[in-house]
Amino acid sequence: MLIVMDHNATEAQVRAVEAAVEALGFKAEPIPGKQRTAIGVLGNQGPVDDSSIRELPGVRECIHVSKPYKLVSRDFHPLSSVVTVAGISIGDGHPPVMIAGPCSIESEAQMLASAKLVKAAGGQILRGGAFKPRTGPHSFQGLGYDGLKLLRQAGDAEGLPVITEVMRIEQLETVCRYADVLQIGARNMQNFDLLKEVGKLRIPVLLKRGMSATIEEFLSAAEYIVSEGNDQVILCERGIRTFERATRNTLDLSVVPLVRSLSHLPIIVDPSHATGKRALVPVMAKAALVAGAHGLMIEVHPEPEKALCDGAQSLTGPGFATLMGEIRKLLPYLGY
């Protein structure tokens, strides 16, 4: 439920409503606005009896919200949120942010070369996987904690903030020492214990949509993070599993405008994992921006043919530079 206060409601009246909500056994979440204050009611498992609240002084109306995700919805938070990563703004009113780099961290030379390519082309955040959740146990699993050091070193060398995936709660403390953004991968989207622990931190989080997740499940996963206090969440569409096998996944671009209408959180798109084919990445990247994505995550490798992970979908340095040039030409048509 959302309790909307009159524009001239006093602080004492707001506090009285919060106390009434808590007396019912629920949590009151104040939501200040330019025109008036609203109070979100959290913790209920069904409809809330508002009879003891709607007649309180200062209450304008009570709106019952049926969505399982509340804090990330526009019902509770009408204004779009902007997530800031090392001074880089991601969200409405800001140019799309380009996150790029190799799928996995393989060596010091590979990461330094990747960072140079990303920086030279205009990328703003360097990506690289230290821990790799692979479908088969015999595939390359990443360099682990040693990889984190190489990622940080490469990012610092080119002045780029870095993002990497965290897979388990026990990795959080160490990963947070090296990363500017924590990535929750598709396979961990519903690892609720991990989501809650990440929510207790004050570091930006990129949450990827699960490969079979509905929109409601996707936003409910984000709710786990935000409900613990961390509202610096970036959503990421990376393709979903369908019956089609011609591409690695099926890129659901309809999710971009849909999520923007349902949630205040920024959303980006990963066309590399979605398509699995290098030739498809540029056109789907541009299509994602036209659909309203706040940024892109692109796999870039200095030698894709030698990559230990996902080389077939990784752009070369020149390929990424070409794409960035095309995006710069597109941006004026998108209002940037």
Side-chain angles (χ1 to χ4, degrees):
M1 185 170 71
L2 185 66
I3 304 165
V4 181
M5 305 296 293
D6 287 325
H7 71 276
N8 59 352
T10 66
E11 184 175 345
Q13 290 172 336
V14 173
R15 297 291 174 266
V17 172
E18 292 175 0
V21 169
E22 292 168 359
L24 293 173
F26 307 126
K27 178 182 177 182
E29 183 77 20
I31 308 169
K34 291 183 178 179
Q35 301 298 323
R36 60 178 62 88
T37 294
I39 300 169
V41 178
L42 305 176
N44 58 300
Q45 300 301 315
V48 176
D49 181 1
D50 62 11
S51 58
S52 63
I53 296 175
R54 62 173 178 262
E55 300 302 327
L56 290 175
V59 174
R60 177 174 178 176
E61 63 178 328
C62 295
I63 302 172
H64 291 271
V65 180
S66 60
K67 299 182 180 72
Y69 52 91
K70 295 178 172 64
L71 294 175
V72 306
S73 76
R74 286 197 181 272
D75 294 324
F76 272 44
H77 196 299
L79 299 180
S80 298
S81 292
V82 174
V83 175
T84 302
V85 178
I88 301 167
S89 298
I90 304 173
D92 281 3
H94 299 276
V97 171
M98 301 296 123
I99 304 171
C103 177
S104 63
I105 301 162
E106 301 166 2
S107 68
E108 179 180 6
Q110 173 244 13
M111 282 310 304
L112 290 173
S114 297
K116 286 182 181 296
L117 295 175
V118 170
K119 180 72 172 185
Q124 293 143 293
I125 301 176
L126 179 66
R127 64 151 295 164
F131 306 98
K132 299 304 302 178
R134 306 298 298 279
T135 301
H138 305 299
S139 301
F140 177 61
Q141 304 290 314
L143 297 181
Y145 294 113
D146 290 337
L148 291 176
K149 299 173 185 177
L150 298 179
L151 175 65
R152 183 77 263 172
Q153 176 186 345
D156 289 345
E158 296 298 328
L160 295 169
V162 300
I163 178 173
T164 194
E165 182 170 356
V166 60
M167 294 171 55
R168 300 192 303 274
I169 292 173
E170 58 266 30
Q171 295 171 347
L172 279 172
E173 182 178 355
T174 302
V175 173
C176 285
R177 291 205 299 265
Y178 293 96
D180 298 289
V181 187
L182 301 178
Q183 176 181 309
I184 304 295
R187 291 172 176 83
N188 271 315
M189 189 204 79
Q190 290 184 307
N191 183 340
F192 301 125
D193 287 340
L194 178 60
L195 298 181
K196 287 187 282 189
E197 289 302 314
V198 166
K200 296 174 184 176
L201 304 174
R202 296 299 177 266
I203 181 172
V205 179
L206 186 141
L207 177 67
K208 285 198 166 188
R209 182 185 180 186
M211 60 186 70
S212 299
T214 65
I215 303 303
E216 183 173 291
E217 290 168 341
F218 188 22
L219 293 178
S220 295
E223 185 84 0
Y224 269 92
I225 300 172
V226 176
S227 64
E228 293 291 338
N230 188 351
D231 61 357
Q232 294 291 288
V233 178
I234 307 160
L235 303 172
C236 181
E237 163 61 27
R238 46 79 71 202
I240 55 175
R241 175 171 289 177
T242 68
F243 57 81
E244 183 55 67
R245 300 268 63 89
T247 54
R248 181 173 183 173
N249 295 287
T250 297
L251 179 54
D252 181 10
L253 285 184
S254 67
V255 75
V256 175
L258 180 57
V259 162
R260 288 188 58 162
S261 70
L262 296 173
S263 175
H264 57 89
L265 299 177
I267 181 169
I268 72 168
V269 170
D270 176 353
S272 301
H273 277 94
T275 65
K277 295 180 181 293
R278 184 180 303 118
L280 297 179
V281 171
V283 66
M284 298 315 298
K286 289 175 285 187
L289 296 180
V290 172
H294 296 107
L296 299 169
M297 176 175 274
I298 306 288
E299 292 199 353
V300 178
H301 195 289
E303 297 179 287
E305 67 281 1
K306 296 181 180 179
L308 299 180
C309 178
D310 292 346
Q313 65 195 36
S314 299
L315 298 184
T316 62
F320 181 58
T322 297
L323 172 59
M324 289 295 291
E326 293 171 349
I327 288 173
R328 280 189 284 272
K329 293 178 182 178
L330 175 63
L331 291 182
Y333 297 97
L334 301 179
Y336 299 106

